[in-house]
């Protein structure tokens, strides 16, 4: 009797301590899941991850009074990380897409983007329609992957990093790469002998992924995004990384 009373007392104390820390533990960080293989949106510079998305997320975190923490992972792990709560937000040049909306919510879009086709100079591919019966490289799990996989008669080669697809093109292992326009411009500028088709493959919009049940965070993110847009800060960040043609 006596021992069980003591045990009970200890348990009650432990439980209330747990409850107490549970209540007093205020969230101080905003954890962003990304895939830093996507210049100019997110890429590594030394030890840090920089780029448009990193700066937008930092500005949002500042506005919310939180400290931004960036978790770099495979692109196709980001949605699961957001769903499971491992990350609060997914910011990765992520296109708003019907299929993804089943798993996560998206903020208001923060930019318009496009999928484009990269080919070798002198290639016979002159428009996206010519990809038929060709070998096309994409980054695994991206909208490029989803759209090209839906095409009839196209062999899809999936790479973990967009740049690996570009390398395969340079080595003539594939005939074309379908990837987002701004990273495509960066990769083409770094390598001789490849170019971007004038005709886009698709036009799309990037937004921030938030867990389905997290409406409060979604509202906060949208409020911060709206402020960034109104103050001109959003455009300023974009202009820092993308020079108008
Ligand atoms: N916009 C494309 C998508 O949402 C590609 C994004 C890839 N982003 C990255 N950080 N690797 O699927």
């Amino acid at each position: 009797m006596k021992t069980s009373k003591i045990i009970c007392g200890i348990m009650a104390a432990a439980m209330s301590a747990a409850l107490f820390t549970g209540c007093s533990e205020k969230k101080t960080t905003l954890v962003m899941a990304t895939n830093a293989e996507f210049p100019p949106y997110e890429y590594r510079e030394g030890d840090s991850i920089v780029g448009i998305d990193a700066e937008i997320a930092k500005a949002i975190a500042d506005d919310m009074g939180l400290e931004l923490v960036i978790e770099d992972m495979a692109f196709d792990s980001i949605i699961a990380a957001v769903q499971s709560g491992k990350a609060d937000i997914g910011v990765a040049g992520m296109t708003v897409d019907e299929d993804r909306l089943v798993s996560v919510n998206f903020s208001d879009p923060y930019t318009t983007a496009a999928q484009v086709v990269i080919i070798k100079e002198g290639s016979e591919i002159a428009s996206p329609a010519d990809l038929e019966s060709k070998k096309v490289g994409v980054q695994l799990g991206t909208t490029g992957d989803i759209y090209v996989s839906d095409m009839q008669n196209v062999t899809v080669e999936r790479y973990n990093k967009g740049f690996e697809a570009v390398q395969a093109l340079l080595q003539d292992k594939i005939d074309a790469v379908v990837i987002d326009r701004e990273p495509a411009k960066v990769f083409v500028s770094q390598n001789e002998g490849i170019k971007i088709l004038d005709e886009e493959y698709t036009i799309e919009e990037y937004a921030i992924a938030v867990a389905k049940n997290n409406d409060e965070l979604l509202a906060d993110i949208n409020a911060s995004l709206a402020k960034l847009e109104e103050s001109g800060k959003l455009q300023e960040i974009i202009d820092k990384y993308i020079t108008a043609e």
Side-chain angles (χ1 to χ4, degrees):
M1 188 67 183
K2 211 179 161 201
T3 358
S4 67
K5 249 190 177 168
I6 294 173
I7 292 173
C8 264
I10 294 173
M11 276 178 67
M15 275 172 72
S16 64
L19 276 173
F20 183 74
T21 52
C23 294
S24 64
E25 214 180 86
K26 206 169 167 294
K27 215 174 142 26
T28 55
T29 57
L30 183 69
V31 182
M32 152 181 172
T34 197
N35 168 248
E37 299 292 343
F38 201 66
Y41 293 96
E42 45 267 335
Y43 56 101
R44 284 185 178 271
E45 212 169 70
D47 284 339
S48 39
I49 292 169
V50 298
I52 296 172
D53 288 340
E55 291 207 24
I56 291 176
K58 173 79 169 66
I60 289 174
D62 284 350
D63 187 51
M64 292 172 69
L66 299 172
E67 185 203 335
L68 181 70
V69 176
I70 303 183
E71 299 276 359
D72 191 13
M73 59 186 74
F75 182 74
D76 68 336
S77 302
I78 296 174
I79 289 194
V82 171
Q83 272 184 306
S84 70
K86 190 173 167 244
D88 301 307
I89 53 176
V91 198
M94 195 174 276
T95 303
V96 180
D97 166 81
E98 288 299 314
D99 293 348
R100 291 175 180 162
L101 277 166
V102 175
S103 318
V104 288
N105 281 334
F106 278 106
S107 70
D108 295 330
Y110 59 87
T111 200
T112 304
Q115 296 291 310
V116 297
V117 182
I118 309 179
I119 47 165
K120 275 229 156 148
E121 307 266 10
S123 163
E124 58 181 33
I125 298 170
S127 88
D130 296 337
L131 292 177
E132 182 152 353
S133 77
K134 295 286 190 294
K135 260 194 189 166
V136 182
V138 296
Q139 185 182 10
L140 178 72
T142 59
T143 42
D145 182 2
I146 297 167
Y147 305 149
V148 176
S149 301
D150 273 349
M151 290 177 84
Q152 301 290 316
N153 260 324
V154 172
T155 310
V156 190
E157 297 288 338
R158 299 179 179 86
Y159 299 87
N160 287 320
K161 304 174 181 185
F163 181 64
E164 289 170 359
V166 174
Q167 274 174 321
L169 175 66
L170 289 164
Q171 295 161 4
D172 290 318
K173 290 182 181 153
I174 53 177
D175 304 303
V177 174
V178 172
I179 195 167
D180 303 56
R181 187 200 323 263
E182 296 306 325
K185 277 161 58 182
V186 174
F187 297 146
V188 166
S189 75
Q190 291 168 344
N191 293 280
E192 297 274 302
I194 53 175
K195 63 176 188 182
I196 299 171
L197 282 186
D198 288 339
E199 191 182 332
E200 286 118 357
Y201 189 90
T202 53
I203 300 287
E204 37 189 46
E205 281 181 322
Y206 292 168
I208 297 174
V210 179
K212 275 282 174 206
N213 55 4
N214 212 343
D215 291 343
E216 202 182 321
L217 180 61
L218 186 66
D220 288 348
I221 300 278
N222 279 335
S224 294
L225 261 181
K227 279 194 225 168
L228 287 180
E229 205 166 332
E230 275 155 36
S231 68
K233 170 98 180 159
L234 181 65
Q235 196 57 47
E236 200 180 289
I237 294 173
I238 294 173
D239 291 345
K240 180 172 158 191
Y241 291 90
I242 300 174
T243 38
E245 285 137 61

